[in-house]
Amino acid sequence: MPRYSALSLINHAITGNRDWPRAWPNPDPKPSYDVIVVGGGGHGLATAYYLAREFGIRNVAVLEKGYIGSGNAGRNTTIVRSNYMLPGATEFYDFSLQLWNSLSHELNYNVMFSPRGQILLAHSPDALDGAARRGNIMRRHGIAARLLNRQDMQDLVPHLDYRPTARFPIWGGLMQPTAGTARHDAVVWGYARAAAALGVDIIQNCEVTGFLREGGRIVGVETGRGQIRAGKTGIAVAGHTSRLGEMAGLSLPIESHLLQAFVSEPIKPLLDYVIGFGGHGHFYISQSDKGGMVFGGDLDMYNSYAQRGNLPVVRDVAALGVSLMPCLGRVRLLRHWAGVMDMTMDGSHIIDRTPVDGLYLNAGWCYGGFKATPASGWCFAHLLARDEPDKLAAPFSLDRFRRGAMIDEAGVGPIPKLH
Amino acid sequence: MSTGFRLPQGGLIDRNSQYRFSFDGRALTGHAGDSLASALLANGIQFVARSFKYHRPRGIMGAGLEEANALVTLGDGARSLPNAVASTEELHDGLSAHAQHCWPSLNTDFGAVNQLFSSLLGAGFYYKTFMGPGRGPKSWLFYEHFIRRAAGLGKASREPDPDQYETVNTFCDLLIIGSGPAGLEAARIAAEAGLDVILAERDFELGGALLADTGTIERQPAAQWLASQVDRLSKSVNIRVLKRTTAFGLYDGTVAGLVERRDPAQATTIPWRERFWIVRAKRIIIAAGAMERPLLFAGNDRPGVMLASAVGSYLNRWAVAPGRRVVLATTNDSAYATARDLAIAGLSVTLIDSRDRISEPLHRLANNTGIDLRLGQSVRATLGSRHVRTVDIGPANGQGAVGSRLACDIVAVSGGWSPTQHLLSQRGVKPSWNESLQAFLPGRANEPIDCVGSAAGLWRSDDCARSGRAIAAAAAAALGRKAPVEDIPAPGGWETPIRPVRLASDLNLKKIFVDLQHDVTAADILLANQEGYEAPELLKRYTTLGMAADQGRTSAVPALALLSEMANRSVGEIGTTTFRPPFAPVSIGALAGMERDKHLLPIRRSPLHDVVADSGAHMLETGLWMRPWYYPQNAETVDEAYLREMRQTRDAVGICDVSTLGKIAVQGPDAAEFLDRVYVNGFKAMKAGMARYGVMLREDGIVMDDGTSWRLSETEYFMTTTTGNAAKVMAWLEDLLETRWPELRVSLTSVTDQWAGISVAGPHARNLLAANIGELDFANEAFPFMAVRNGVFNGVPCRLARISFSGELAYEVYIGASHGPALWRALRNTAKELGGCAYGLEALGALRIEKGHVGGPELDGRTTLEDLGLGRMASTKKSFIGDVLRQRPDLRRDDRARLVGLVPVTKGEMFKGGAILAEQGQEDGHGLGWVTSVTESPSLGHWIGLGFIQGGLDKWQGKTVLAADPIRGRSTLVKIVAPHFLDPEGTRLHA
Amino acid sequence: MLRIKCPFCGERDHSEFSYGGDANITYPDLAAPMEAWIEAVYRRANPKGPHRERWQHIDGCRLWLIVERDTLTHEIASVTLAKAALAPLVDGQSS
């Protein structure tokens, strides 16, 4: 794989950019692999990359039904943070953030990880105490965190609504200075290119239509491009996990819900941080490098696979947006779209073996999948390679619901739409 | 630079009006009926913008939404609007426009230096560099700082948007989007059939393409036909005509989102700037027309290069000739009418048609009007600095050298037309590629949505009108109305087939702009394809093609044509990308409408709101409610006030507004059974006239809510819930009754708003109430702890229970909401006489902490009964919701974090909620637990708190741990004690 | 916007309703074995296609409804009252 660098850009520019090779090849599927990863999103590709890179398993295929990154990897609002409070979650997302820090170099692909700082707003004194608990947990795990008062907020983010007419007064916030955003597509492409360079086959337009079984064990997949055998099969198809699960006879603690995302026209820099609203309902906003205000809110609140959202959430998100940041009123929405989320019963993900031999599960990412991409890939690769979860993945087992060991950051219980 | 001018006659402008406006400070004039673009062109201004990446000079290229170049900033200050499209912006008196995205000025823009590095700045270059030095993200943060400033387009105002927006919710039988020949005829037929019709037109005039059409339609001059249609529309009672209204999105249930802009001339009379129409239509007809596509040649972005249809619009609709010497380059028939009109207007026209043969009538048209027609030729390149000066033309097959160089000041281009079916694409309907028409034609929707006219690929206005009639008649029939049946014409309509768009030449691909707004060139597309980003969506994402504010309206098909040329596959095989809403950018303010500031999620106020305010309360927003926080006297701080309120309550008496508690009337023969199933503890055995504290679990065994339920009779209970969970509990109980236990004869009524509630606590509580509430014996034996009684205040019945959250002798009294203020005033006056006071939320919280009662911070949706020390409440004699799943092993573990009390080891020290409990020296990790609620205790003279610690009291009672609070720079040694700080025996509340 | 035809109130925007999830779940007795409760509370069929689901007309009549809706197209095939005994209250069940 020829390295990307400023120098290589100059060299190629001199030759008219005619010699840039494919970022990843376009192979036909082989009859069999050691490991098949179903799902060519960020998680699937990262899994393949770490399998090859960390665990020495290179006879790997990633099967993608459309083009790589066509699911939630390319539909999210690109926020990367690790401000989690509960045991298991804090450590997992901290590890993920550590991987993010050197990801561009690791992949030799600029994923534009921009730890510009993320602020979770507090709208009451109680909310500030809650933020303090979260911040204390972060600090005790070596994750940078700062508690901000109202004055700090006005200094850092002057364009929020601090007027007396504000619907949700801003008492302060919890800042994670090391959190931020990354370029979502670049993560997909970076992992694809790096995985392919290590020998992984990335096979697009290859939909899995069933599993091959031998004596109760899954030994490969049926696809639109024929049967492909595998020693182990991992699925990383968040949004559609239940469908793959059904093919394997599994009934999972997952519902598919729509999450919409929004981007405005490009404007000159207006907002330097990622802001999360902590009041009634969800709202989060940041500004992309291109200048678009990128924001989102609540789920559409009904099961769906439609990849398109509806007006009530559009209105709610716009209303929260202008109420939080009153200058947004004249900024114009450029596009909105929706992704299909795997919503679990406790709002946390699942990385585990399944009751079916040979089948492994990476699923249930709810809202949080993008920031988890590196750690998810790493932990899933570990599981596939070693047949047992890494200690970071162990809390996110499939049987935690049976044991009563839920990891419920929102504290809303087994109601997927509320996580 | 340009030689543009207004023609002496013609056009749909009001020459009697004169609007003054400015561009970059230059004072200019225009007329009513002008767009900003037409007025600029009339003033000879063509170069108005700089491109996104290379800062190349850009001019007006379109006459409508297809405009990709002419983005400007309008106005100043709080009302400034970045990225306004000059071609769609209606001119008004006083309009000020500015060039944007250039520094220091439009003419001298330093950003143009980027053009020198265009080889370096190819598709996705940023993914290949800006990574070092170092392995961390610091370097990127450094580069990003500059990249962010170089990107963006216009600058948004920082001030709150001062304008008002409204929302209109409405219904109709048929929504028609677009008012060209197809839309107008559809509206006419539908209205005649008796349908309730909404006709939405983006423009400020009805007519669509007819506004610039000098030909005929249905054997009448187009203008005459249009005028009579518009006249008829205005007389029809069942058509609502919305001009200046963009249908931006189609959603489920044939619901459309439209935004209507105010007529700028009425800015002083119409209060709203924009209105958001939510239209629930039974059927929708898309008559949005088609958009012309540009051609691919080097320098096709230069000011002076315009779409042929736009040149025709400026000429015919606005009486503006943007230049004198026009080179018109086309691949199809549509540009001939424009060529004719230009020639008739006296301009010099050279018509370059890439086709080798054309029909006889077109030949005649050219001959008759003196057009210099050159067949089989295409434009290879333009030259000029800030405006096109010459074009090079050569054989259209790309073979052979440049044939000639023509001087010109306008290059009008037509690469064919793309039906405007974005709205249908939003519904997930895939279009199909028609090779002979070189256009994507709309697919069939499963929903009642149809495309008509040019939006369905019909190129002749007669056909458009007929398709509008035919589809509207079918729509009327589907809705049970009668209308004359007509055949739907076939797509197409040109006499000579279109020639597919091809690259004019392989040379200078970096100067062939496919996406004008994002500066994506043919070279970028080639590179992306070469690097493996060949799927259209990957190509779009890698090159950013079609992702600018114009959403690739003019670039999508040319890009696909290029891809198909490279991959040697048809455009149909390659497929297209999905269009997302909104069709055109929509103000976020318009989407929010009135739901902003205090109008967002309306604030709830207790019936006592005004009287507690009279009592001097400082209010606090908690969730949706406004609640009294504390009642300062003599400029007390919150801390001073709540401590005094606690002391007065414990020493004398305090009253507190508890009206916000959820209140549910549970009535029916099975009410007792119902409560037994939802509460962990029993309610059946409790006698009428008594109340009980109850806890309910979620199905997963986690505590959901707590409160008291009062048995009013054998068949009636009065249930209270916490303020925050009131709505949730109500819906949950309704769910259980209707869907799970329909056999239970129970009725639920939310009576939260019907009752005002006041808690009265303290040693003088009995005296205070006895002085105000009649017909009730307050003696201990007559009204014992947990009893429920009725009383009368001023002749108004009220309901009381002797329950205590504070640990004092206490009562809750409820009275009809409208009588609450009088009761409050009476109780407050008596309280004052007794040395008592009103207390707020802060003291309420502190009193319950002293007593060890759990509240919001403890009921965080993750705690079990046992965690809260309430395990013994769970009945073993009955089953209840959550009873099974609470038995799961990890919920029963002894080392779960359990509720404990906390006191500082050094009495004078304080600690705070949110601190982490850990063993001394245990500096990292999750520790042993956390602090939930903290207060200073005036009774004990030091700080106290509640928290959770692994193993609870059994393991930690009397031991010392650290309340670590690194984020607030504090850490306090605390002793673990039982969570009942005051009067654990309950002598006070039984007094 | 989903348009749900409430048998009691008529057709309304879905924003007036609150979604209650899969209607095919049968909840076991309060004292049923653990496995039955885990099945009901945690496992979901989550189909792509027709889905029987519960909605409460929370900003209307507050009745709970059973809605048959396609999770891919969002097309609604039928709406009925969850509590059959209430059916006489409405003119006729919509479908």
Side-chain angles (χ1 to χ4, degrees):
Chain A
M1 179 174 79
R3 286 192 66 75
Y4 288 162
S5 68
L7 193 63
S8 72
L9 266 182
I10 293 168
N11 286 336
H12 281 280
I14 291 167
T15 56
N17 291 320
R18 283 197 192 86
D19 305 324
W20 283 113
R22 288 185 68 94
W24 55 87
N26 192 14
D28 286 323
K30 294 190 283 195
S32 108
Y33 292 90
D34 293 341
V35 175
I36 282 176
V37 179
V38 184
H43 291 229
L45 292 163
T47 302
Y49 170 75
Y50 291 113
L51 272 171
R53 168 77 201 248
E54 297 289 327
F55 301 96
I57 300 175
R58 298 187 172 198
N59 184 22
V60 174
V62 176
L63 308 183
E64 167 55 47
K65 103 178 143 175
Y67 60 92
I68 59 170
S70 51
N72 298 331
R75 290 168 191 267
N76 59 78
T77 49
T78 79
I79 298 170
V80 175
R81 57 182 170 86
S82 60
N83 54 351
Y84 283 74
M85 187 176 77
L86 297 181
T90 317
E91 294 85 347
F92 180 86
Y93 286 100
D94 179 35
F95 176 60
S96 203
L97 193 70
Q98 289 173 30
L99 294 177
W100 275 109
N101 276 324
S102 54
L103 195 59
S104 293
H105 289 84
E106 169 89 26
L107 303 178
N108 181 231
Y109 202 104
N110 187 357
V111 301
M112 302 182 188
F113 174 50
S114 163
R116 54 181 71 174
Q118 186 256 5
I119 299 169
L120 190 62
L121 299 178
H123 301 277
S124 70
D126 275 359
L128 263 182
D129 276 358
R133 177 179 170 200
R134 189 173 292 277
N136 281 328
I137 292 291
M138 291 163 68
R139 286 276 191 101
R140 290 172 61 88
H141 287 83
I143 303 166
R146 249 182 89 194
L147 203 60
L148 306 172
N149 63 26
R150 187 175 164 88
Q151 187 59 51
D152 299 331
M153 287 299 310
Q154 277 179 290
D155 294 344
L156 290 173
V157 197
H159 311 308
L160 300 183
D161 195 353
Y162 302 98
R163 298 173 298 174
T165 50
R167 175 65 183 88
F168 297 104
I170 295 169
W171 284 75
L174 177 66
M175 179 176 193
Q176 184 185 2
T178 53
T181 61
R183 172 89 185 101
H184 54 12
D185 290 328
V187 176
V188 172
W189 302 333
Y191 272 119
R193 175 168 166 271
L198 293 171
V200 170
D201 279 359
I202 294 164
I203 302 166
Q204 303 185 73
N205 301 309
C206 182
E207 181 169 5
V208 169
T209 54
F211 291 104
L212 302 175
R213 286 168 187 270
E214 269 172 22
R217 184 182 168 85
I218 282 178
V219 294
V221 294
E222 298 270 8
T223 76
R225 296 171 69 171
Q227 293 189 348
I228 311 173
R229 293 180 67 87
K232 293 172 181 170
T233 303
I235 61 178
V237 295
H240 291 75
T241 307
S242 298
R243 304 284 46 82
L244 269 288
E246 189 183 22
M247 290 177 199
L250 297 175
S251 167
L252 297 166
I254 290 172
E255 287 183 5
S256 296
H257 283 259
L258 294 176
L259 180 64
Q260 299 197 48
F262 303 80
V263 65
S264 80
E265 292 179 315
I267 48 178
K268 293 292 177 195
L270 173 66
L271 179 63
D272 294 333
Y273 299 91
V274 179
I275 304 293
F277 171 67
H280 221 84
H282 272 118
F283 183 78
Y284 37 90
I285 187 165
S286 64
Q287 187 169 18
S288 77
D289 288 338
K290 214 162 70 189
M293 305 302 294
V294 180
F295 51 102
D298 266 321
L299 293 173
D300 265 28
M301 298 280 183
Y302 45 80
N303 281 44
S304 177
Y305 288 89
Q307 289 194 333
R308 58 171 188 268
N310 268 313
L311 269 179
V313 166
V314 177
R315 297 180 69 188
D316 290 350
V317 163
L320 279 171
V322 295
S323 295
L324 200 63
M325 206 168 170
C327 66
L328 277 187
R330 299 179 100 76
V331 174
R332 292 185 298 184
L333 176 68
L334 178 59
R335 266 198 311 280
H336 72 97
W337 62 93
V340 182
M341 309 286 117
D342 263 12
M343 298 304 299
T344 61
M345 297 292 160
D346 63 355
S348 294
H349 57 271
I350 298 160
I351 297 178
D352 203 355
R353 290 164 293 214
T354 70
V356 185
D357 270 358
L359 187 68
Y360 300 78
L361 186 64
N362 171 321
W365 290 98
C366 301
Y367 276 46
F370 179 65
K371 59 182 161 301
T373 306
S376 163
W378 200 97
C379 287
F380 199 36
H382 183 287
L383 179 73
L384 283 161
R386 303 271 167 82
D387 228 7
E388 62 180 13
D390 172 72
K391 71 177 191 315
L392 289 172
F396 299 96
S397 65
L398 193 51
D399 76 343
R400 67 179 184 267
F401 303 103
R402 179 184 305 278
R403 286 188 287 116
M406 293 78 73
I407 302 169
D408 185 354
E409 286 264 337
V412 295
I415 305 175
K417 68 169 188 175
L418 296 180
H419 283 289
Chain B
M1 184 69 217
S2 171
T3 53
F5 60 88
R6 183 86 70 183
L7 298 172
Q9 60 197 30
L12 302 172
I13 47 168
D14 175 6
R15 289 174 194 262
N16 296 321
S17 72
Q18 194 177 53
Y19 285 169
R20 283 159 304 165
F21 74 105
S22 68
F23 179 67
D24 269 350
R26 254 178 86 186
L28 304 164
T29 60
H31 299 294
D34 262 326
S35 70
L36 173 58
S38 71
L40 284 166
L41 288 171
N43 282 280
I45 298 172
Q46 163 73 264
F47 165 33
V48 294
R50 289 281 179 169
S51 70
F52 187 73
K53 190 166 164 187
Y54 300 122
H55 292 254
R56 285 171 66 88
R58 289 287 165 80
I60 294 159
M61 58 75 77
L65 262 186
E66 71 280 4
E67 177 64 63
N69 285 336
L71 302 188
V72 297
T73 297
L74 299 182
D76 305 283
R79 286 198 161 83
S80 69
L81 178 71
N83 307 337
V85 181
S87 315
T88 61
E89 208 57 51
E90 190 173 356
L91 190 71
H92 60 90
D93 196 40
L95 182 149
S96 80
H98 309 272
Q100 60 181 30
H101 193 56
C102 51
W103 187 83
S105 73
L106 184 63
N107 275 314
T108 313
D109 180 10
F110 287 3
V113 72
N114 286 356
Q115 291 176 56
L116 299 177
F117 304 108
S118 64
S119 292
L120 280 174
L121 307 183
F125 77 97
Y126 27 72
Y127 300 127
K128 296 172 180 159
T129 182
F130 299 133
M131 290 180 268
R135 281 183 67 83
K138 287 255 164 58
S139 298
W140 171 248
L141 271 181
F142 172 80
Y143 301 120
E144 186 188 45
H145 176 83
F146 299 100
I147 289 169
R148 283 188 66 195
R149 273 145 193 83
L153 279 170
K155 183 172 188 266
S157 154
R158 265 63 178 155
E159 295 169 57
D161 183 0
D163 277 317
Q164 185 178 318
Y165 302 85
E166 287 184 1
T167 310
V168 185
N169 281 289
T170 194
F171 299 81
C172 67
D173 292 327
L174 180 63
L175 168 66
I176 299 168
I177 297 159
S179 70
L184 287 172
E185 279 293 85
R188 181 175 68 81
I189 291 295
E192 284 172 5
L195 298 185
D196 174 15
V197 179
I198 292 179
L199 177 64
E201 170 55 55
R202 180 197 61 73
D203 205 321
F204 49 90
E205 295 286 359
L206 299 177
L210 294 177
L211 291 168
D213 193 341
T214 55
T216 60
I217 175 169
E218 315 231 286
R219 294 181 295 281
Q220 283 182 57
Q224 192 185 322
W225 187 89
L226 174 59
S228 66
Q229 287 279 5
V230 171
D231 182 53
R232 192 154 32 193
L233 273 186
S234 65
K235 289 174 183 149
S236 173
V237 290
N238 48 344
I239 303 182
R240 279 174 280 175
V241 178
L242 304 176
K243 290 198 277 191
R244 303 180 180 84
T245 302
T246 307
F248 66 81
L250 296 190
Y251 299 87
D252 288 324
T254 47
V255 172
L258 281 56
V259 167
E260 179 185 12
R261 293 169 299 280
R262 175 174 58 195
D263 176 353
Q266 301 213 47
T268 53
T269 51
I270 296 176
W272 45 266
R273 175 175 174 248
E274 291 176 348
R275 285 207 289 196
F276 175 20
W277 287 73
I278 301 171
V279 179
R280 295 146 189 91
K282 290 186 183 137
R283 302 189 67 91
I284 294 173
I285 289 181
I286 298 171
M291 288 193 195
E292 199 167 22
R293 303 189 292 252
L295 294 172
L296 302 177
F297 51 80
N300 61 345
D301 66 324
R302 215 159 243 129
V305 180
M306 301 174 74
L307 292 172
S309 58
V311 173
S313 286
Y314 289 116
L315 184 77
N316 294 329
R317 177 172 172 188
W318 286 294
V320 174
R324 295 239 157 80
R325 307 181 63 164
V326 182
V327 169
L328 205 161
T330 187
T331 61
N332 63 82
D333 289 4
S334 69
Y336 279 77
T338 300
R340 176 197 61 206
D341 295 342
L342 289 167
I344 290 172
L347 279 69
S348 138
V349 180
T350 306
L351 180 51
I352 315 283
D353 193 326
S354 64
R355 298 173 295 182
D356 294 324
R357 272 182 297 277
I358 55 168
S359 67
E360 189 46 39
L362 293 185
H363 264 296
R364 242 185 338 233
L365 178 150
N367 285 338
N368 292 347
T369 48
I371 291 168
D372 174 8
L373 175 65
R374 307 194 186 185
L375 294 178
Q377 300 281 303
S378 65
V379 172
R380 294 280 178 87
T382 67
L383 295 168
S385 60
R386 289 188 191 131
H387 198 94
V388 59
R389 273 202 311 270
T390 58
V391 295
D392 288 345
I393 63 171
N397 57 17
Q399 309 297 310
V402 168
S404 52
R405 174 168 291 183
L406 306 174
C408 64
D409 50 12
I410 290 295
V411 181
V413 294
S414 178
W417 293 78
S418 295
T420 306
Q421 48 188 301
H422 302 63
L423 291 169
L424 201 58
S425 174
Q426 291 176 13
R427 300 303 307 145
V429 178
K430 293 249 181 295
S432 61
W433 177 251
N434 184 309
E435 185 65 28
S436 67
L437 297 181
Q438 288 289 299
F440 280 105
L441 299 184
R444 268 202 89 71
N446 288 325
E447 297 163 300
I449 305 172
D450 299 292
C451 286
V452 297
S454 302
L458 276 61
W459 304 145
R460 291 148 45 98
S461 29
D462 282 355
D463 286 350
C464 290
R466 186 146 66 95
S467 84
R469 286 195 298 271
I471 297 282
L479 294 172
R481 308 285 182 141
K482 282 209 184 85
V485 177
E486 237 178 309
D487 289 341
I488 301 169
W494 288 324
E495 292 170 20
T496 313
I498 183 173
R499 187 176 193 275
V501 170
R502 289 283 176 261
L503 279 181
S505 140
D506 295 348
L507 299 172
N508 225 349
L509 295 177
K510 285 184 304 184
K511 290 289 188 291
I512 300 178
F513 288 83
V514 182
D515 184 321
L516 290 162
Q517 200 166 107
H518 258 170
D519 275 351
V520 180
T521 66
D524 293 328
I525 290 173
L526 198 70
L527 179 60
N529 191 54
Q530 170 189 326
E531 292 191 284
Y533 303 88
E534 61 259 274
E537 284 283 358
L538 287 178
L539 183 104
K540 164 180 144 185
R541 289 150 182 270
Y542 191 64
T543 62
T544 75
L545 177 112
M547 298 181 82
D550 67 337
Q551 286 222 54
R553 280 189 268 273
T554 53
S555 62
V557 171
L560 289 169
L562 268 182
L563 265 185
S564 92
E565 209 173 333
M566 290 170 198
N568 211 10
R569 293 196 299 164
S570 88
V571 170
E573 284 171 67
I574 292 170
T576 183
T577 58
T578 310
F579 292 108
R580 307 284 179 203
F583 166 57
V586 174
S587 307
I588 297 171
L591 295 172
M594 302 291 275
E595 308 223 342
R596 53 195 291 186
D597 307 333
K598 295 291 189 197
H599 298 289
L600 171 70
L601 297 168
I603 289 168
R604 297 186 71 181
R605 293 183 170 86
S606 130
L608 305 182
H609 183 88
D610 291 344
V611 280
V612 301
D614 287 346
S615 303
H618 257 173
M619 307 301 285
L620 181 69
E621 301 197 34
T622 62
L624 294 176
W625 287 96
M626 205 58 138
R627 299 179 69 181
W629 186 14
Y630 61 100
Y631 296 82
Q633 295 177 357
N634 309 320
E636 283 172 323
T637 64
V638 55
D639 290 339
E640 290 162 353
Y642 92 81
L643 291 171
R644 175 190 46 73
E645 290 165 19
M646 286 176 78
R647 274 192 301 268
Q648 281 185 275
T649 300
R650 295 235 186 266
D651 294 347
V653 66
I655 63 169
C656 180
D657 178 10
V658 294
S659 307
T660 59
L661 293 177
K663 296 176 277 292
I664 302 170
V666 184
Q667 295 160 309
D670 296 322
E673 169 67 19
F674 179 59
L675 292 196
D676 259 14
R677 294 188 194 181
V678 297
Y679 278 126
V680 302
N681 45 337
F683 279 77
K684 249 187 207 165
M686 181 174 77
K687 291 195 168 54
M690 294 302 288
R692 187 166 286 176
Y693 172 72
V695 175
M696 51 180 87
L697 307 185
R698 300 191 308 229
E699 288 171 303
D700 64 351
I702 299 295
V703 172
M704 176 159 90
D705 197 50
D706 66 348
T708 57
S709 275
W710 311 5
R711 190 162 200 172
L712 305 178
S713 74
E714 276 306 297
T715 57
E716 181 171 9
Y717 291 83
F718 176 72
M719 173 189 282
T720 67
T721 73
T722 59
T723 300
N725 285 331
K728 187 167 89 182
V729 170
M730 181 69 193
W732 168 234
L733 298 183
E734 287 171 326
D735 186 358
L736 290 172
L737 270 182
E738 272 182 58
T739 70
R740 223 175 284 183
W741 304 323
E743 74 282 2
L744 290 187
R745 293 160 302 164
V746 178
S747 154
L748 300 172
T749 312
S750 169
V751 292
T752 300
D753 296 335
Q754 278 67 25
W755 295 96
I758 302 170
S759 168
V760 180
H764 297 329
R766 181 177 289 129
N767 302 343
L768 189 158
L769 283 171
N772 288 284
I773 309 287
E775 298 179 26
L776 180 55
D777 181 358
F778 281 91
N780 210 358
E781 314 74 51
F783 195 170
F785 183 58
M786 297 312 281
V788 178
R789 296 291 182 267
N790 291 321
V792 175
F793 167 74
N794 268 355
V796 179
C798 54
R799 182 182 290 170
L800 299 90
R802 187 171 159 191
I803 47 184
S804 177
F805 197 46
S806 58
E808 295 300 320
L809 166 67
Y811 304 82
E812 274 176 20
V813 50
Y814 289 93
I815 192 163
S818 58
H819 301 285
L823 178 61
W824 174 269
R825 273 191 293 264
L827 295 183
R828 173 156 162 84
N829 289 338
T830 317
K832 260 187 186 164
E833 291 163 15
L834 295 168
C837 67
Y839 64 95
L841 207 51
E842 196 68 21
L844 178 76
L847 290 165
R848 67 100 186 162
I849 296 170
E850 282 189 325
K851 189 61 190 169
H853 277 308
V854 293
E858 288 78 34
L859 305 179
D860 67 356
R862 289 181 288 267
T863 42
T864 65
L865 276 180
E866 287 73 18
D867 296 346
L868 296 166
L870 301 173
R872 276 169 304 169
M873 278 181 71
S875 168
T876 52
K877 298 185 188 120
K878 56 151 192 162
S879 300
F880 50 88
I881 289 277
D883 197 13
V884 174
L885 291 185
R886 79 188 186 95
Q887 314 288 349
R888 286 178 289 171
D890 277 42
L891 298 179
R892 307 297 292 190
R893 288 165 64 126
D894 290 337
D895 62 352
R896 280 182 67 86
R898 300 265 158 88
L899 185 75
V900 293
L902 307 163
V903 294
V905 170
T906 307
K907 290 295 182 224
E909 286 191 342
M910 74 170 296
F911 56 109
K912 288 190 162 188
I916 303 304
L917 297 175
E919 286 193 89
Q920 293 174 64
Q922 188 190 9
E923 297 284 327
D924 52 17
H926 286 276
L928 299 163
W930 62 98
V931 181
T932 50
S933 303
V934 163
T935 182
E936 194 176 343
S937 168
S939 310
L940 300 174
H942 57 78
W943 284 79
I944 58 171
L946 298 176
F948 291 85
I949 192 164
Q950 285 170 16
L953 272 190
D954 291 351
K955 186 159 177 206
W956 292 96
Q957 186 152 31
K959 295 182 182 155
T960 295
V961 297
L962 199 63
D965 198 0
I967 201 157
R968 287 176 291 209
R970 182 190 298 274
S971 108
T972 313
L973 284 176
V974 293
K975 196 168 83 173
I976 306 296
V977 298
H980 313 288
F981 299 95
L982 192 86
D983 186 26
E985 304 78 26
T987 44
R988 282 165 172 264
L989 56 86
H990 288 106
Chain C
M1 193 97 77
L2 309 180
R3 297 276 294 159
I4 299 175
K5 198 167 176 183
C6 172
F8 197 76
C9 306
E11 195 174 52
R12 297 286 190 274
D13 291 351
H14 82 266
S15 48
E16 288 186 14
F17 298 78
S18 166
Y19 180 66
D22 192 338
N24 282 342
I25 298 169
T26 39
Y27 286 90
D29 289 346
L30 292 176
M34 177 87 72
E35 192 51 39
W37 272 101
I38 286 174
E39 177 72 27
V41 172
Y42 288 110
R43 305 245 170 82
R44 294 290 184 270
N46 193 24
K48 183 177 186 170
H51 190 224
R52 277 187 82 239
E53 57 198 25
R54 305 174 326 116
W55 289 78
Q56 185 184 18
H57 195 185
I58 195 143
D59 290 339
C61 59
R62 291 191 74 91
L63 291 177
W64 277 88
L65 311 173
I66 306 293
V67 176
E68 285 183 297
R69 186 182 60 95
D70 190 300
T71 59
L72 187 59
T73 65
H74 293 175
E75 199 178 326
I76 292 175
S78 76
V79 184
T80 51
L81 293 175
K83 186 170 173 177
L86 296 177
L89 287 180
V90 300
D91 293 332
Q93 295 257 319
S94 96
S95 60

